[in-house]
Amino acid sequence: YPLRRQRQMCIRDSNVSEADIGRIAIGQEAIFTVDAFPERVFRGKVSEIRNAPITIQNVVTYDVVIQVGNKDLKLKPGMTANVSVLIEHKEGVLKISNAALRFRPESSKKGEPTEKGKGDLSKRQKFNEGIKSSQGEDGRPGRVWILSSEGKLKPISIVVGITDGTFSEVVSGSLKEGMEVIVEEISKRKGGTGSPPFMRGFGK
């Protein structure tokens, strides 16, 4: 008698915003969860990208079909899923917390005293030149702050690559693995004194 090995498959329709649809391609890996099994991660692949746009309240999305194995029949029709598609993957890169990229010291927000204007202008020009020279590389310009040996805030220009929303790849720059960067500045209002900024290290 013939023996056939059958595999139960399930097709999931997902809505991808127009801002992200350009990075979706057939064959990319996808993971998702459903409310019925919040602790379980289902895996599949993008099998189809439909060109018909869906517009709801001026929000445009596109239907991306995810094909996933369903041999235990856990997935049921009509289940709502939270889908993530892997659009790029790199190994052995240097990464940094996005909180460090967002950090700006209070002194830079308020502006420096006028008597230091000339010196500060020169520093800003040198920093901007470093940013412009790095824009030609594969990535986008970024800036982080460290504490110098004298205990002063010092900006460092870097080139940032891919990101997962929490960490970003450091493509180039003078940052090294294990260096500490500033992610938050905490000030003590009493007596007008300030505490040292909070620092957190980053690595691979």
Side-chain angles (χ1 to χ4, degrees):
Y1 295 94
L3 178 64
R4 295 181 179 178
R5 182 181 180 184
Q6 296 182 347
R7 183 182 181 188
Q8 295 288 340
M9 300 297 295
C10 178
I11 303 298
R12 304 288 312 180
D13 292 328
S14 60
N15 294 328
V16 178
S17 68
E18 58 178 327
D20 297 325
I21 194 63
R23 292 177 287 182
I24 304 299
I26 295 177
Q28 289 176 336
E29 296 181 3
I31 60 174
F32 64 91
T33 58
V34 294
D35 292 340
F37 309 101
E39 302 299 326
R40 179 172 175 178
V41 176
F42 296 89
R43 300 182 181 275
K45 287 188 176 183
V46 176
S47 63
E48 184 181 353
I49 303 173
R50 294 174 179 168
N51 290 325
I54 303 170
T55 305
I56 301 177
Q57 295 181 351
N58 295 327
V59 177
V60 180
T61 59
Y62 291 86
D63 187 11
V64 174
V65 180
I66 309 296
Q67 190 174 35
V68 59
N70 190 31
K71 61 182 180 180
D72 52 4
L73 301 179
K74 293 291 186 181
L75 298 174
K76 309 294 183 183
M79 284 185 171
T80 301
N82 184 14
V83 183
S84 296
V85 178
L86 181 62
I87 60 175
E88 193 170 357
H89 178 76
K90 292 184 179 180
E91 293 283 351
V93 300
L94 193 66
K95 66 180 183 179
I96 188 173
S97 170
N98 286 352
L101 294 170
R102 293 190 297 266
F103 172 76
R104 293 293 181 272
E106 292 296 329
S107 58
S108 67
K109 296 176 183 177
K110 298 178 181 179
E112 297 294 336
T114 55
E115 59 268 18
K116 296 183 179 180
K118 294 182 179 180
D120 295 335
L121 178 60
S122 176
K123 291 180 181 179
R124 286 196 296 270
Q125 288 175 343
K126 290 181 180 179
F127 176 76
N128 291 333
E129 289 175 359
I131 287 291
K132 291 179 181 179
S133 64
S134 64
Q135 286 181 338
E137 302 180 30
D138 183 19
R140 64 186 188 280
R143 177 172 62 178
V144 295
W145 295 78
I146 65 171
L147 280 179
S148 65
S149 56
E150 294 81 16
K152 296 182 180 180
L153 293 175
K154 177 183 177 182
I156 296 181
S157 60
I158 60 175
V159 176
V160 183
I162 65 173
T163 179
D164 61 1
T166 304
F167 293 91
S168 293
E169 174 196 10
V170 178
V171 177
S172 65
S174 57
L175 290 179
K176 304 298 180 182
E177 181 178 359
M179 289 179 64
E180 292 184 327
V181 293
I182 302 173
V183 299
E184 186 179 4
E185 186 176 20
I186 304 175
S187 300
K188 293 181 179 179
R189 298 296 181 182
K190 295 182 180 181
T193 60
S195 61
F198 174 71
M199 297 182 296
R200 182 178 302 160
F202 69 95
K204 289 186 178 180

